[in-house]
Amino acid sequence: MRLEPIASPSAARRIMPPVLAILATVLVASLLAMVAGGNPFAVLGLILKGAFGSKFALLETLNSATPLIFTGLAIAVAFRAKLWNIGAEAQLYAGAVLTVVLGTGALGLPAYLLLPLCAVAAMLAGAMLLLGPALLKTRLGVDEVVTTLLFNFIFLLFVSYLLEGPLKDPMGMGWPKSARLLPEARLPRIVEGLRLHWGFALALIAALVIWVINTRTTLGYEMRAVGQNAQAAAFAGIPVTRVILKTALLSGGLAGLAGFSEVSGLKGSLTSDLSPGFGYTGIVVAMLALLHPLGVVLAALFVAAIFVGADSMSRAAGVPSYLADIMLASALLFMVLAILLTKFRLRRD
Amino acid sequence: MDLLDILLSASFWAAAIRIASPLIFATLGELICERAGVLNLGIEGIMVAGAFAGWIAVWAGLPLWGGVAVAMLTGMMLGLVHSILSVPFGLSQHVVGIGLTLLATSLTFYTYRVVLPEVSSPPKITAFQPYEIPLLADLPLVGPALFSQTPLTYAGFILAALTALVLYRTPLGLAVRAAGENPSAVAAQGLSVTAIRMGAVIVGSGFMAVGGAFLTLSAFDSFFFDMVNGRGWICIALVVFGAWRPGKAVLGAILFAAFDALQIRLQQTGIGAVVPYQVFLMLPYFLSILALVVMSRRAEVPAALMVPFNKGER
């Protein structure tokens, strides 16, 4: 069998596969809901209602989308240059750790200095964590997928050590959690009284900045060229190694910001369950967005809606909330296939 | 306890072989996929699914070997999904693999919750028991270490020998290796690269799932959510460490497992009182990265690894 490019795909050819991918995902979810003894229409309805049905639900969805926008951008930036960063989870925690180190009383600074400082430190921490695997890739040709994945396990153990040792809250009744951030280190809420913090706005700004970098700067062009064909890029005089390292810094920095935003905006302290896998879910977000930074915002909202909705559905209908994770993983696989089928067809030879 | 005492004790080496067993199955599975030219990052999720499928089948009443077969079939089905997307459609093996790991893991956890909605701790099964091989088990040091293991461990070593035999001594093995080195030459022989690669991914995924099932059917007697805990990713490092050769990969797995067994024992010594336990738990992951770095200089990567093959195109 072989793939054959379609010379001029019709409108239907370009629209149908992604639509079918979404339908297939819904079908898989419905079947699994039935296996668990739920009525599929009721289950899907409850997911929508749980995600958008009230002001509280909507704000919860926006809050949950915030870290996913950051990690989704981190992955999108890296994957666009074919730097396979699967370590956003660890980079997020690195950002969170630095936020806690600086934000719990080490520095007596006012909020307008302390907040930016924490954010920048979080970015640097995330960036440094990805620089290692990126250097191993460019210097020694070590595959970054495995190194970034293994770093996730190493760094989570490191966080666990910090929370039981140096960063442990002395007033925490023995729980492995950090002290709370000073009020000066907390991101305020966008509207007083509503549970949505400025991290969401920061995430939207980050998406815009990445969009500008991608479309309006030399670096954006170089990252894309390296991703499309590193050999050709090198031949055209693009410093491939330096572009990969810059991509790593940018990607790791974005993931670090996710950690800053979660600690400073939402939680106020660090525990080892700060992220329920935002780093991995960011991969789904980035792929659903076709690696486009503004698409990442939409995809993160979609993914967050499914998570928030499935949580409330699970309480009401008794169908396990892991249904959300299944929907996202199958959406990812169906979608990459669908995108291919808009341009190619499979022929028997 | 002295380091030398640990290294000379039979119980230490018995533990090393036990820890190595799931890695041997899964590493062989990954090796077969990569030798045919496909990087299978679904390994972590396939191991989770295999661990669960084998265990739940035995819990439902199948004999232990029936559980192994169910795990194998589960892995092969997941491998079929991977191979359809990555071989004829030629989609990014990174994305397909990570996606499959997410899918297999979440499907497993979902099924667990549906089958056992109310349990706080998972039920136990009667796992494989150690079987002492007559005469050989009486040898000093080697006997208790190598020949007093469970039947599934012996199966792992037999599988390694079989894999090496098939890969290097049969036309089928030659075709698999060629599909990973020079697929055009395979196609020129009138063989289907698509079929060879898909078959390798499906069989390899089956082995990975058995590796996962070793955890629930032999090493422990129950299923936990965090059970696999990155072992799949470590196996990917072991394939590189073993230079894509079954024999070296098995040795690498044993070496790695010995190190893991050592860090567990060191935690109980004077060093363990001073150094935080997390440092010991990090060591296996650091060791894997180190192995990748050291071997990257002279690794003999299959030339067509991660390169999709499209007939009629060059």
Side-chain angles (χ1 to χ4, degrees):
Chain A
M1 279 188 280
R2 65 202 157 89
L3 283 175
E4 193 179 75
I6 303 169
S8 51
S10 62
R13 185 79 201 183
R14 275 177 290 167
I15 294 166
M16 280 312 282
V19 171
L20 286 176
I22 294 169
L23 286 180
T25 305
V26 171
L27 187 70
V28 166
S30 305
L31 287 175
L32 286 168
M34 280 164 71
V35 168
N39 173 346
F41 295 104
V43 164
L44 292 171
L46 282 168
I47 291 179
L48 283 178
K49 187 161 163 258
F52 304 111
S54 65
K55 196 165 84 177
F56 176 82
L58 191 63
L59 289 172
E60 199 56 33
T61 301
L62 295 182
N63 261 337
S64 306
T66 304
L68 295 176
I69 297 176
F70 284 119
T71 55
L73 288 172
I75 305 292
V77 163
F79 280 23
R80 193 163 166 271
K82 292 241 163 63
L83 174 71
W84 303 103
N85 173 18
I86 323 288
E89 188 78 1
Q91 292 140 27
L92 178 152
Y93 273 100
V97 165
L98 258 277
T99 305
V100 166
V101 167
L102 296 176
T104 47
L107 307 161
L109 292 173
Y112 63 89
L113 286 177
L114 189 54
L115 271 174
L117 190 71
C118 284
V120 170
M123 285 184 77
L124 280 176
M128 285 305 125
L129 208 58
L130 185 53
L131 192 60
L135 279 170
L136 286 178
K137 173 193 169 83
T138 54
R139 291 280 170 84
L140 299 168
V142 180
D143 185 53
E144 71 277 20
V145 173
V146 189
T147 48
T148 52
L149 271 167
L150 291 170
F151 262 118
N152 288 342
F153 291 89
I154 292 171
F155 203 84
L156 249 99
L157 285 164
F158 179 61
V159 169
S160 147
Y161 157 71
L162 288 177
L163 292 178
E164 288 173 21
L167 286 186
K168 186 173 180 175
D169 182 7
M171 319 294 275
M173 324 253 268
W175 288 102
K177 77 188 265 300
S178 79
R180 293 197 70 76
L181 293 186
L182 299 173
E184 290 84 12
R186 295 295 306 268
L187 278 167
R189 291 175 176 186
I190 296 179
V191 180
E192 201 47 53
L194 292 184
R195 223 176 85 92
L196 182 67
H197 59 86
W198 273 99
F200 181 69
L202 193 63
L204 296 184
I205 294 169
L208 269 178
V209 169
I210 298 301
W211 180 69
V212 170
I213 290 179
N214 278 358
T215 54
R216 300 277 187 277
T217 68
T218 316
L219 178 64
Y221 169 77
E222 289 176 338
M223 291 193 296
R224 186 181 152 129
V226 169
Q228 279 178 345
N229 188 339
Q231 273 178 334
F235 190 69
I238 292 174
V240 174
T241 302
R242 273 173 56 196
V243 171
I244 290 177
L245 295 182
K246 281 182 196 169
T247 310
L249 293 177
L250 193 57
S251 171
L254 285 162
L257 268 184
F260 161 75
S261 156
E262 282 302 278
V263 171
S264 171
L266 200 64
K267 298 283 170 60
S269 63
L270 177 60
T271 51
S272 55
D273 61 354
L274 177 76
S275 161
F278 292 136
Y280 302 102
T281 314
I283 300 172
V284 181
V285 170
M287 293 311 299
L288 289 180
L290 307 180
L291 309 185
H292 192 292
L294 302 182
V296 162
V297 175
L298 292 180
L301 287 171
F302 168 74
V303 169
I306 290 190
F307 273 125
V308 172
D311 245 12
S312 99
M313 175 281 296
S314 175
R315 283 190 297 273
V319 173
S321 61
Y322 288 110
L323 190 64
D325 303 81
I326 299 175
M327 284 178 79
L328 295 176
S330 34
L332 168 70
L333 293 175
F334 284 131
M335 200 50 97
V336 287
L337 180 60
I339 299 300
L340 180 87
L341 290 178
T342 58
K343 294 178 223 134
F344 292 89
R345 68 167 66 93
L346 198 60
R347 273 283 172 85
R348 296 199 80 111
D349 37 40
Chain B
M1 212 192 326
D2 197 11
L3 189 63
L4 203 64
D5 288 342
I6 297 179
L7 289 179
L8 286 178
S9 72
S11 72
F12 166 75
W13 285 104
I17 298 293
R18 190 170 61 240
I19 296 170
S21 303
L23 303 177
I24 289 174
F25 280 105
T27 304
L28 288 171
E30 182 68 37
L31 185 143
I32 293 169
C33 298
E34 293 193 20
R35 260 312 177 68
V38 181
L39 174 73
N40 189 345
L41 292 179
I43 183 170
E44 180 83 5
I46 292 171
M47 287 181 80
V48 174
F52 175 76
W55 169 77
I56 202 78
V58 173
W59 178 75
L62 279 190
L64 283 165
W65 288 107
V68 173
V70 168
M72 175 105 186
L73 283 175
T74 309
M76 290 173 82
M77 291 211 310
L78 291 166
L80 177 67
V81 174
H82 188 297
S83 67
I84 289 173
L85 294 172
S86 62
V87 181
F89 287 110
L91 290 164
S92 157
Q93 294 174 11
H94 287 112
V95 175
V96 170
I98 298 286
L100 189 68
T101 283
L102 293 175
L103 182 68
T105 310
S106 51
L107 267 175
T108 302
F109 294 173
Y110 184 82
T111 314
Y112 178 96
R113 283 273 179 254
V114 171
V115 178
L116 304 162
E118 301 297 335
V119 297
S120 51
S121 64
K124 290 182 185 305
I125 56 157
T126 311
F128 279 108
Q129 299 302 313
Y131 173 79
E132 293 190 2
I133 295 180
L135 300 177
L136 290 175
D138 298 330
L139 293 170
L141 192 60
V142 188
L146 262 182
F147 300 110
S148 309
Q149 299 282 350
T150 69
L152 206 49
T153 294
Y154 304 136
F157 282 96
I158 295 168
L159 191 67
L162 276 177
T163 305
L165 193 74
V166 171
L167 270 181
Y168 292 104
R169 294 277 182 274
T170 65
L172 176 67
L174 180 65
V176 169
R177 285 183 292 133
E181 291 290 345
N182 190 350
S184 305
V186 176
Q189 291 289 316
L191 298 169
S192 164
V193 177
T194 310
I196 293 169
R197 286 188 166 177
M198 286 183 73
V201 173
I202 292 168
V203 171
S205 302
F207 291 0
M208 294 169 191
V210 175
F214 185 93
L215 297 172
T216 48
L217 300 183
S218 182
F220 304 95
D221 51 8
S222 197
F223 175 82
F224 309 100
F225 276 28
D226 292 334
M227 190 153 220
V228 176
N229 204 15
R231 280 186 177 83
W233 312 132
I234 286 169
C235 290
I236 292 192
L238 284 174
V239 173
V240 181
F241 182 75
W244 287 268
R245 289 169 179 278
K248 284 186 182 174
V250 168
L251 279 181
I254 294 172
L255 204 68
F256 177 89
F259 192 79
D260 203 19
L262 184 66
Q263 64 86 8
I264 296 167
R265 277 160 180 74
L266 284 180
Q267 282 186 49
Q268 272 116 56
T269 64
I271 313 166
V274 192
V275 181
Y277 71 93
Q278 289 95 344
V279 174
F280 292 101
L281 294 178
M282 282 178 202
L283 288 176
Y285 303 111
F286 272 120
L287 189 72
S288 303
I289 293 176
L290 190 72
L292 284 175
V293 172
V294 172
M295 297 309 288
S296 67
R297 288 167 186 280
R298 51 200 176 93
E300 301 130 51
V301 193
L305 182 63
M306 288 192 271
V307 184
F309 178 72
N310 210 8
K311 200 172 167 186
E313 193 182 81
R314 53 145 284 132

